[in-house]
Amino acid sequence: MNNKYVGIIGLGAYVPEKIMTNKDLEQVMDTSDEWIVERTGIRERHVAAENEATSDLATKAAQKALEDANITAAEIDLIIVATGTADMAFPATACLVQDNLKAINAAAFDVSAACSGFIYALVTGSQFIKAGVYRKVLVIGAETLSRITDWSDRKTGMLFGDGAGAAVLGETPEGYGILGVDLGSNGSGAELLKVPAGGSRNPATAETVLQRQHYIQMDGNEVFKFAVKIMGETTSKALQNANLTPVDVTYLVPHQANIRIIKSAAKRLGLPMEKVVVNVDKYGNTSAASVPIALDEAVKSGVIKPGDIIALVGFGGGLTWASSIMKWYK
Ligand code: UT7
């Protein structure tokens, strides 16, 4: 183990222009603005244009992150895209981003860890730098969930939104950057949150489409119970790995799935809501993109400052969970 410190040296985010409010949703599903706000905290979400796919959102977020890091695309050694809504089953969306950016020296691959994906990608990417293999890694969480959302299903249709967030990883001064992490999975919960058809188990057919099996299916209550338990647990473990405790945390940046899940995680960690970054009201659940979009907003608006201790935490399909504690550098 060497003593290199690795952290985020540039950030960027992009959400599509079109906004869909809860009132708009009332037109297509049996729901109400009041129910959605009270049960989820979501007021609106962004939806990709017809000609926009995940790689397009990812590229725009990445361009901002490169600018913020003040480096060129040619300096990137590796691109990792975390997504559950790749442009195609293959090639990897990361390869399409590599081409868009003209990142001619970069390797590229995707990570599939649902809503925990960005933190999985962040931890993976940081290892290449720590090991001395690469110097600059671009990590992106990007989703066009609107393409796999069943707008007629009120159990899931009001939750999701589209967007992308990107981070450039590089070496940081001693004591800054990633200080502790925790990653985990429990595949016995795979059935709780899935897109049933379109893969090798259940290839897409006219029948699977008729049965709407190409859309997200979720047992919301079970995922909710899992989420409130795991958010506190994984954050505590990552803090322990960093030799810190919850009182050291300046800001918690949680996966933005539901305000009730976020509040209950904060309570379990003993953190007041003033220390929690929340933007689920504006974007809904953007899965792998939610943590980097929230982080970008908090940093660019001056809320998060250099020297702050930041806890990123996510959970999602798989089931998966992930957290990363950082001393903010940039
Ligand atoms: O990124 C990770 C992915 N997912 C999540 O984090 C989601 C975790 N789960 C949740 O956020 C919540 O379980 C939901 C928001 C999905 C659902 O909230 P809930 O408080 O668990 O509601 P529920 O499913 O227990 O439903 C309560 C009632 C039911 O009516 P009855 O049976 O009590 O008459 C539902 O039919 O609310 C009804 N309902 C709705 N009403 C209006 C469910 N969805 C809606 C809706 N609009 N969209």
Side-chain angles (χ1 to χ4, degrees), residues 31 35 39-40 115 154 218 220-221 255 257-258 260 285 315:
T31 191
W35 191 96
R39 305 307 291 170
T40 70
C115 309
R154 71 173 186 171
M218 179 177 66
N221 293 327
H255 170 45
N258 182 321
R260 291 186 293 136
N285 180 347
F315 67 91

Side-chain angles (χ1 to χ4, degrees), residues 137-258:
V137 176
L138 175 63
V139 179
I140 308 167
E143 304 280 9
T144 39
L145 291 165
S146 58
R147 300 281 149 73
I148 58 165
T149 295
D150 187 347
W151 300 110
S152 69
D153 175 13
R154 71 173 186 171
K155 293 199 299 254
T156 56
M158 69 298 175
L159 294 173
F160 302 107
D162 300 339
V168 177
L169 306 182
E171 214 176 316
T172 48
E174 191 178 342
Y176 285 84
I178 299 168
L179 304 179
V181 301
D182 179 60
L183 303 179
S185 71
N186 180 0
S188 74
E191 291 296 313
L192 298 178
L193 182 47
K194 63 180 180 183
V195 175
S200 61
R201 176 71 62 196
N202 199 7
T205 61
E207 193 61 27
T208 63
V209 172
L210 265 178
Q211 291 169 352
R212 311 182 82 74
Q213 292 186 355
H214 54 301
Y215 290 129
I216 298 172
Q217 292 181 1
M218 179 177 66
D219 182 335
N221 293 327
E222 284 306 313
V223 174
F224 192 99
K225 280 189 245 165
F226 154 71
V228 295
K229 184 168 167 287
I230 208 68
M231 296 265 272
E233 277 179 22
T234 180
T235 309
S236 298
K237 276 193 195 161
L239 280 165
Q240 262 171 32
N241 293 341
N243 286 321
L244 297 170
T245 67
V247 293
D248 299 308
V249 173
T250 325
Y251 286 104
L252 178 74
V253 184
H255 170 45
Q256 309 284 315
N258 182 321

